[in-house]
Amino acid sequence: MEKQMDLAAWREGALAFEQALNSVVVGMPEQVRALTIAIFSRGHVLLEGDVGVGKTTLLRAAAQLLGGGYQRIEGAIDLMPSDFLYHAYINEQGQAAVKPGPLLQHEDALSVFFFNEINRARPQAHALFLRLMAERSVNAFNREYHFPHLTVFADRNRLEREETFEIPAAARDRFLMEISVKAPDARELQRALMFDTRFYDVDALVGQLPSGLTPYDQLNALAAQVQSTVRAELALQEYAVELWRVLKDPLAAGISLPEVDMSRLLAGGASPRGMAMLMRSARTRAWLEGRDYLTPDDIRAVWLYVVTHRVFLSGAYALQHERIAPQLLQAVLDKVSAP
């Protein structure tokens, strides 16, 4: 029988983790909470946002707090799957040699892997990355490498369209969450980012965080216990199922959106895997809130982060996904009465 973990003590650690992240990135409490939920749910995350808004700082801080190995790779048009696995070079004797690439350097101690500007890489590179996300393993050097404690992060370049390769919608379903990271709107926070010199040196900012505050190699066992401990009463289950049913056929539920032909809107999505990931995230949120049972607020808090990228729109509507999908999801929440 597996040893039971002290969920109350771990919750305090998780909240300390969240507080530490908020100390290095300002004006992002909702995004930091979502990221915390994703990590303690053992899911991967795609970050959205403009250049220079703190995405890399946020991930480096998370890696520091988790301990374990951290690696990053830059998306590029000539990036190949082999670049994840090995690096060829000329050694001191003038001979060709090979050493492990960024993905293999820490082996099973790798805890965070960051694919920066993933859409700059070709689909060949995406394919290996997606297998890594799904199976937490790769084949190289005639053996299989396993990364049981790995959390994968990626971000997309949203400003430049030349020489970019968007991730297929179905592949994006592998990410537990998509989190939009934006610069703060509050004037005082903007002033702090401009004039507080501690934000100028990211290395020093991240380095002052305690390493291994929430040990990465214990998160799998913790997540399993959280999921088995937080219960969902029948009324809550019916509410969640009704959200799914309305999302799959909003026209039949009487939902309408301005300037949208609802009969032509949806191409698919809202898969069983996606809905299971929704409940996984909601349970983690309930635990962070100090409860061993789910409420509708837990589902609503993670709804947009988990489901938006799992709604596939058809035709020209797909080009307006960033605008229409959140409207649709909010309409679904408004339509279904909470118990």
Side-chain angles (χ1 to χ4, degrees):
M1 182 177 179
E2 293 187 2
K3 180 181 177 181
Q4 292 294 298
M5 307 178 80
D6 186 342
L7 292 185
W10 267 97
R11 175 178 174 267
E12 293 303 315
L15 295 177
F17 175 92
E18 181 180 19
Q19 183 178 6
L21 288 181
N22 278 315
S23 73
V24 298
V25 291
V26 298
M28 302 183 190
E30 294 181 3
Q31 293 90 337
V32 167
R33 169 51 67 100
L35 183 71
T36 302
I37 290 171
I39 289 174
F40 284 87
S41 298
R42 308 305 301 128
H44 308 300
V45 177
L46 179 65
L47 295 179
E48 299 276 357
D50 293 333
V51 174
V53 294
K55 299 187 296 296
T56 301
T57 302
L58 184 60
L59 297 187
R60 287 185 57 189
Q64 173 81 359
L65 294 167
L66 292 171
Y70 167 79
Q71 286 292 339
R72 166 179 171 153
I73 200 166
E74 299 294 324
I77 194 170
D78 58 349
L79 184 71
M80 297 301 294
S82 58
D83 294 323
F84 290 83
L85 305 175
Y86 63 83
H87 172 62
Y89 66 103
I90 303 299
N91 64 19
E92 295 177 353
Q93 290 74 41
Q95 299 174 327
V98 174
K99 66 178 181 180
L103 190 54
L104 307 183
Q105 290 177 14
H106 299 283
E107 298 202 12
D108 60 0
L110 183 63
S111 66
V112 172
F113 190 84
F114 177 33
F115 197 155
N116 190 39
E117 296 194 350
I118 186 174
N119 58 330
R120 282 196 177 279
R122 291 181 179 274
Q124 297 96 313
H126 295 168
L128 181 142
F129 187 68
L130 291 168
R131 183 206 162 167
L132 173 67
M133 293 171 60
E135 303 176 13
R136 289 187 167 94
S137 67
V138 295
N139 291 315
F141 300 109
N142 297 316
R143 57 169 283 201
E144 188 169 26
Y145 289 79
H146 294 274
F147 313 97
H149 311 295
L150 177 63
T151 303
V152 167
F153 298 91
D155 77 349
R156 294 194 299 162
N157 184 317
R158 297 174 58 187
L159 298 180
E160 298 160 329
R161 295 301 180 186
E162 294 183 1
E163 297 186 343
T164 59
F165 304 85
E166 288 301 332
I167 313 171
R172 289 170 65 179
D173 189 64
R174 300 283 179 87
F175 290 97
L176 172 68
M177 289 186 183
E178 286 194 10
I179 301 174
S180 178
V181 178
K182 300 178 181 179
D185 291 328
R187 188 181 187 88
E188 288 306 310
L189 295 180
Q190 292 173 344
R191 187 196 306 274
L193 290 173
M194 292 180 68
F195 293 100
D196 189 336
T197 57
R198 74 187 185 95
F199 294 115
Y200 295 178
D201 188 340
V202 174
D203 290 338
L205 189 65
V206 172
Q208 50 102 21
L209 298 176
S211 177
L213 175 66
T214 52
Y216 73 96
D217 56 355
Q218 298 181 43
L219 293 184
N220 288 340
L222 171 68
Q225 188 169 329
V226 168
Q227 296 301 315
S228 63
T229 300
V230 178
R231 67 185 189 275
E233 302 294 350
L234 182 59
L236 189 284
Q237 294 180 29
E238 291 296 328
Y239 172 69
V241 170
E242 186 62 18
L243 286 174
W244 187 13
R245 292 175 65 85
V246 171
L247 180 59
K248 289 188 71 68
D249 194 352
L251 179 62
I255 289 177
S256 62
L257 298 177
E259 301 179 2
V260 172
D261 182 349
M262 299 301 294
S263 66
R264 299 171 178 264
L265 177 62
L266 291 180
S271 67
R273 175 171 63 184
M275 294 301 102
M277 291 298 97
L278 173 68
M279 301 317 302
R280 187 178 187 88
S281 302
R283 281 191 167 95
T284 301
R285 197 260 183 183
W287 169 66
L288 288 174
E289 292 292 316
R291 287 181 277 100
D292 63 356
Y293 59 91
L294 282 169
T295 70
D297 283 345
D298 296 319
I299 297 175
R300 297 170 73 93
V302 298
W303 176 251
L304 290 178
Y305 293 111
V306 178
V307 183
T308 301
H309 63 290
R310 293 187 161 95
V311 173
F312 308 142
L313 306 184
S314 59
Y317 294 127
L319 301 176
Q320 304 177 63
H321 188 279
E322 191 173 329
R323 177 182 66 86
I324 295 177
Q327 291 181 358
L328 172 63
L329 292 175
Q330 186 59 52
V332 171
L333 287 180
D334 294 342
K335 187 70 176 180
V336 180
S337 299

